[in-house]
Amino acid sequence: MIYDFLIIGAGSAGCNCAYVLNKAGKKVAIVDKEGICAGASGAAGAFLSPLPGKKNSYNSLVNTALEYSINFYEKLLPNSVTKKGVLRVQNDNFDKTKLKDNAIDYEYKKFEQIEGYFYKNAAIISPSEICHKLLEGCDFFLLDVSKLIYKDGIYHIKDLKAKQIILTQGVNTPIISYPYVKISPVFGVKIDIKTSTTVPFNIHKSISVSTNKKDGTVAIGATSVNHFLEGVECITTCDKCIFLIDNDEEDIKSLLSQADELINLKDLEVIKVYKGARATIKSYFPVVGKIIDYDQSIKKYPSIKNGTKIPSGLLEYYPNVYTLNALGSRGFVFGPYLAKILKENILDDMMIPKEVSLEKLFYKMARKKA
Ligand SMILES: Cc1cc2nc3c(=O)[nH]c(=O)nc-3n(C[C@H](O)[C@H](O)[C@H](O)COP(=O)(O)OP(=O)(O)OC[C@H]3O[C@@H](n4cnc5c(N)ncnc54)[C@H](O)[C@@H]3O)c2cc1C
C-alpha cells in the first residue's frame, strides 16, 4: 500500500497532523523510534494556559491556538481534559499590569496566601491519552528513520511507501537538512505527586501546580534549562545525554520548593518524574510548512542573498516534504491549531501565516550569509 502521508515523530505535532489528515480522508502512517508520545510530549505538563501581556504577534498566536485547542480536546476526549482555569501570580516577568493586559474572561482572586489574576479558559490534559486517541484510524510503526529515498514520486522508508512526508521530529536532528530552522533543546523536568490537598484550579507563578487531575494526582512543572547553542544536537533517549542521566533530586527539590510558595500540599508523595527537551527557536515562534531546499534555492536565485524576494512557491522545495516543529513550551496549545493550518495549506492551498512560515527564516539566514 502507498500511504498518502508518512509522518516521522509521534508527539503532539505528529499525532495532530495524523489526526487532521486522516479526518480529511487521507491514508496516514506515523512512525516513531521510541513510541507514541515518548519524546517531549510524554514529559509535558500538559498545561493549556493563556499568555497575557501587551498584545503582540506571539501572544496573539498563543491565545488563538489556546481557544482552538481547548475546544478541540474537549470534543476529542472530554475525560482527558480538566478545565478549571488558572490563577496566575505575578512574578519578575509578569507584573500586575502585564497580567491584566489583553486578558479575557478573568478576575482578580485571592487564594490562601496568594493572589493574582484568574483566567477561566485554562486546562490540563493527559498528553499520552490524547496522542493515542489522535492516532485512531492511522497506522503506527516503531521505526527509527535515518533517510528518505525518493523514487518516481514515492518516498520509500524501509518497507513503507508514501506520497508525502511530514517531519515532526522535535529536538532530534532532522533527516533532511533545513538549516535556517535552528532548533535548540530546552530541557525540563515535571513531576506528578499524590496529595491529600484539593487544589481547586491550576496555579502558575514561575512553575505551575495543577488542579487534581481525573486520577486525583497533581502535576508540578516544569523546570527549564536553556541551551541556545546553535548546533547542539539532542536525542531524547540518548544514554550519553548529561541532562537525561543526571540525578533528579535537585530538580524535584526546586519544583517542590516553588510549589510550596503557592500552596501547602499535604501528605505529598512524588510518584513519577518526567524529563524531556522542548524544541525551540530563538523567536519562540513555531514553524510550519513545506520544507525549502536551502542550497538549491540559493543556487537558483543567488540574488536572494542581496535581498531579492522570490514569489512564494518558486523557491526550490524538497518534493512533498513538510514540517511542524519548534512548538517550544506550548506543544499541546499549538499542536491542533497548527496541524489544521498545515492541512489547509497542503490540501486546500491556503497560505501559512507569515510569522510561523519557514520562508521568513530562510530569507533571514540567506541575508545573514551574504
Ligand atoms: C518538562 C516539559 C514540560 C512541558 N510542559 C508543557 C505544558 O505544560 N504545556 C504544553 O503545551 N507544552 C509543554 N511542554 C512542551 C511540549 O511537550 C512540546 O512542545 C511538545 O511535546 C513537542 O511536540 P513534538 O511532537 O514537536 O516533539 P516530541 O514530543 O519530542 O516528538 C518528536 C518525536 O519524534 C521522534 N523522532 C525524532 N526523530 C526520529 C526519527 N529519525 N525516526 C523516528 N522517530 C523520530 C522522537 O522519538 C519523538 O518521539 C513541555 C515540555 C517539557 C519537556
Side-chain angles (χ1 to χ4, degrees):
M1 123 128 99
I2 300 178
Y3 288 99
D4 295 311
F5 288 91
L6 192 143
I7 299 170
I8 300 169
S12 171
C15 295
N16 274 295
C17 289
Y19 178 86
V20 274
L21 291 165
N22 181 244
K23 284 284 166 216
K26 302 296 169 191
K27 280 181 278 176
V28 180
I30 179 162
V31 303
D32 199 297
K33 60 189 169 66
E34 294 171 29
I36 299 168
C37 199
S41 300
F47 296 93
L48 311 176
S49 313
L51 184 57
K54 202 164 173 227
K55 201 167 179 168
N56 59 40
S57 52
Y58 183 70
N59 60 25
S60 298
L61 177 70
V62 170
N63 294 330
T64 305
L66 177 80
E67 189 77 31
Y68 181 86
S69 303
I70 291 186
N71 286 335
F72 172 83
Y73 294 128
E74 281 187 315
K75 281 193 198 120
L76 179 81
L77 200 58
N79 269 342
S80 194
V81 183
T82 310
K83 187 182 165 194
K84 293 196 178 161
V86 61
L87 177 64
R88 242 190 114 140
V89 180
Q90 72 174 70
N91 63 19
D92 293 346
N93 296 327
F94 282 88
D95 60 17
K96 278 187 181 169
T97 317
K98 217 169 165 187
L99 286 178
K100 216 169 139 183
D101 260 350
N102 197 21
I104 36 174
D105 222 356
Y106 71 98
E107 61 182 284
Y108 197 73
K109 204 186 201 66
K110 288 190 175 178
F111 171 71
E112 296 182 355
Q113 75 271 30
I114 54 171
E115 55 196 272
Y117 283 95
F118 178 76
Y119 310 116
K120 282 193 192 141
N121 199 26
I124 181 162
I125 57 166
S126 160
S128 178
E129 283 176 16
I130 293 282
C131 284
H132 280 84
K133 180 74 184 172
L134 289 168
L135 293 192
E136 282 178 6
C138 304
D139 292 338
F140 173 77
F141 301 91
L142 194 64
L143 200 65
D144 188 348
V145 181
S146 54
K147 63 175 178 197
L148 296 175
I149 296 170
Y150 188 59
K151 226 169 88 188
D152 303 328
I154 301 291
Y155 283 98
H156 299 250
I157 293 154
K158 305 233 165 110
D159 295 335
L160 298 171
K161 294 184 192 131
K163 294 177 199 160
Q164 312 192 61
I165 300 289
I166 303 180
L167 301 184
T168 47
Q169 293 181 256
V171 289
N172 298 259
T173 309
I175 55 171
I176 61 167
S177 161
Y178 50 115
Y180 43 91
V181 178
K182 298 182 196 314
I183 301 271
S184 295
V186 177
F187 294 103
V189 174
K190 175 201 91 169
I191 55 176
D192 274 348
I193 60 151
K194 266 190 195 162
T195 172
S196 58
T197 303
T198 299
V199 188
F201 31 71
N202 298 340
I203 306 171
H204 180 84
K205 191 177 177 189
S206 311
I207 54 105
S208 299
V209 176
S210 82
T211 183
N212 306 77
K213 294 180 279 178
K214 302 277 183 210
D215 63 359
T217 63
V218 165
I220 304 176
T223 60
S224 170
V225 183
N226 264 297
H227 281 250
F228 275 130
L229 301 169
E230 281 177 14
V232 165
E233 289 195 0
C234 175
I235 305 165
T236 49
T237 54
C238 179
D239 59 7
K240 293 184 196 79
C241 171
I242 292 166
F243 171 76
L244 286 161
I245 56 173
D246 243 8
N247 189 320
D248 306 331
E249 264 169 38
E250 281 308 307
D251 288 308
I252 296 173
K253 227 163 85 187
S254 155
L255 285 172
L256 291 179
S257 91
Q258 291 181 76
D260 196 46
E261 284 176 31
L262 302 175
I263 184 166
N264 178 15
L265 296 163
K266 297 201 182 94
D267 309 313
L268 186 155
E269 182 194 341
V270 177
I271 51 172
K272 196 157 177 187
V273 180
Y274 301 82
K275 296 174 131 189
R278 310 157 178 97
T280 310
I281 63 171
K282 259 187 185 155
S283 68
Y284 292 109
F285 276 98
V287 292
V288 58
K290 195 168 186 180
I291 301 185
I292 303 160
D293 183 330
Y294 183 83
D295 292 336
Q296 291 305 320
S297 295
I298 296 293
K299 202 168 149 194
K300 189 170 170 190
Y301 302 110
S303 63
I304 287 176
K305 289 192 167 185
N306 304 324
T308 305
K309 275 234 172 163
I310 305 300
S312 192
L314 289 185
L315 293 170
E316 290 292 307
Y317 294 84
Y318 291 100
N320 302 326
V321 186
Y322 303 84
T323 188
L324 171 51
N325 206 345
L327 303 186
S329 297
R330 295 174 183 271
F332 284 89
V333 175
F334 286 137
Y337 182 66
L338 293 179
K340 175 181 91 77
I341 285 182
L342 183 59
K343 181 214 90 175
E344 289 170 349
N345 174 255
I346 302 173
L347 303 184
D348 311 323
D349 220 12
M350 282 172 69
M351 288 273 286
I352 300 279
K354 217 164 96 193
E355 66 269 25
V356 291
S357 78
L358 292 145
E359 281 186 22
K360 188 176 151 190
L361 299 170
F362 164 81
Y363 282 111
K364 196 171 164 199
M365 175 168 158
R367 284 180 199 141
K368 236 184 177 174
K369 283 205 153 188

